């Protein structure tokens, strides 16, 4: 295929239908090619007065946007956050479904929080983000349940506690101490010391 500078193209062995369309376009006196100059001139003044103008662009509602931020301070269900692009801390609310202690923990660890931004409202903190593996894990709850279908193993260095599904419990350590402030009772069918 070869290209012409007038915007058309000639293809070797082009179908007869394409040649017929080009011939009809060349014969029509009102048909003219649109050049870049025509387009630029048409932007200033419409070439065809019958052409409808483009509809005005409607203002779109902002809706909710999500961003990350760092927590500067937490007080009750409010916080001050540092958002990239803002000068200084920005006041924010903590969403009702978010525990303020989760946001306090994120502040202590230096983790980011997820913030929902809506036009005309204070930023709303909707969650905390963990971006790195913690060096220490702190669990605090009314009840903590750790369950293993076959085995549960707690290990640190050379000490370990293993609990198996058949009820076998094994405690291994260099030195094992047990103390009771009250009655210390050991019950079993057979007790063996050494």
């Amino acid at each position: 295929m070869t290209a012409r500078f007038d915007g058309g193209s000639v293809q070797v062995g082009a179908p007869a239908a394409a040649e017929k369309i080009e011939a009809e376009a060349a014969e029509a006196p009102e048909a003219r090619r649109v050049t870049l100059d025509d387009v630029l001139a048409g932007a200033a003044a419409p070439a065809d007065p019958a052409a409808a103008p483009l509809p005005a662009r409607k203002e779109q509602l902002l809706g909710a946007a999500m961003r990350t931020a760092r927590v500067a301070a937490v007080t009750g269900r409010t916080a001050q956050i540092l958002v990239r692009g803002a000068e200084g801390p920005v006041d924010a609310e903590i969403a009702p479904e978010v525990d303020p202690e989760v946001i306090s923990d994120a502040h202590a660890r230096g983790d980011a929080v997820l913030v929902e931004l809506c036009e005309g409202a204070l930023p709303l903190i909707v969650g905390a983000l963990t971006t790195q593996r913690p060096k220490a894990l702190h669990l605090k709850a009314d009840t903590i349940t750790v369950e293993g279908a076959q085995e549960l193993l707690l290990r640190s260095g050379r000490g370990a506690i293993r609990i198996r599904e058949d009820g076998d419990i094994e405690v291994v350590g260099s030195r094992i101490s047990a103390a009771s402030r009250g009655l210390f009772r050991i019950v079993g069918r057979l007790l063996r010391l050494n």
Side-chain angles (χ1 to χ4, degrees):
M1 173 166 36
T2 59
R4 296 190 307 225
F5 288 104
D6 61 357
S9 64
V10 175
Q11 184 175 6
V12 178
E19 292 175 0
K20 181 180 176 187
I21 291 172
E22 286 184 7
E24 288 175 359
E27 291 174 3
E30 65 276 350
R32 70 180 193 106
R33 293 184 185 253
V34 178
T35 65
L36 183 58
D37 292 331
D38 295 335
V39 172
L40 293 175
D48 186 3
L54 292 174
R57 184 174 180 185
K58 294 181 182 177
E59 185 176 329
Q60 296 179 352
L61 295 175
L62 176 62
M66 302 298 272
R67 291 201 50 190
T68 59
R70 298 279 177 196
V71 180
V74 179
T75 308
R77 297 210 59 84
T78 61
Q80 293 213 329
I81 57 173
L82 302 170
V83 181
R84 189 180 316 160
E87 293 181 22
V90 176
D91 291 328
E93 295 177 344
I94 299 173
E97 63 274 8
V98 177
D99 186 350
E101 288 189 30
V102 171
I103 305 306
S104 294
D105 290 346
H107 176 238
R109 288 189 309 265
D111 286 341
V113 292
L114 191 61
V115 181
E116 186 178 282
L117 301 173
C118 289
E119 192 172 346
L122 282 177
L124 185 66
I125 299 173
V126 295
L129 302 173
T130 300
T131 56
Q132 56 189 337
R133 178 179 283 171
K135 293 184 174 130
L137 184 61
H138 174 76
L139 296 176
K140 182 178 179 182
D142 292 339
T143 303
I144 297 175
T145 302
V146 178
E147 207 171 304
Q150 294 180 348
E151 185 176 288
L152 177 65
L153 175 65
L154 299 175
R155 182 184 354 208
S156 177
R158 294 178 7 185
I161 299 174
R162 181 186 312 258
I163 304 172
R164 294 197 175 106
E165 65 176 325
D166 62 359
D168 187 22
I169 299 174
E170 182 182 355
V171 179
V172 177
S174 301
R175 190 180 119 207
I176 299 173
S177 300
S180 172
R181 289 191 178 91
L183 176 66
F184 190 145
R185 185 169 65 175
I186 299 174
V187 178
R189 283 192 179 167
L190 178 64
L191 296 177
R192 184 167 56 176
L193 300 172
N194 284 338

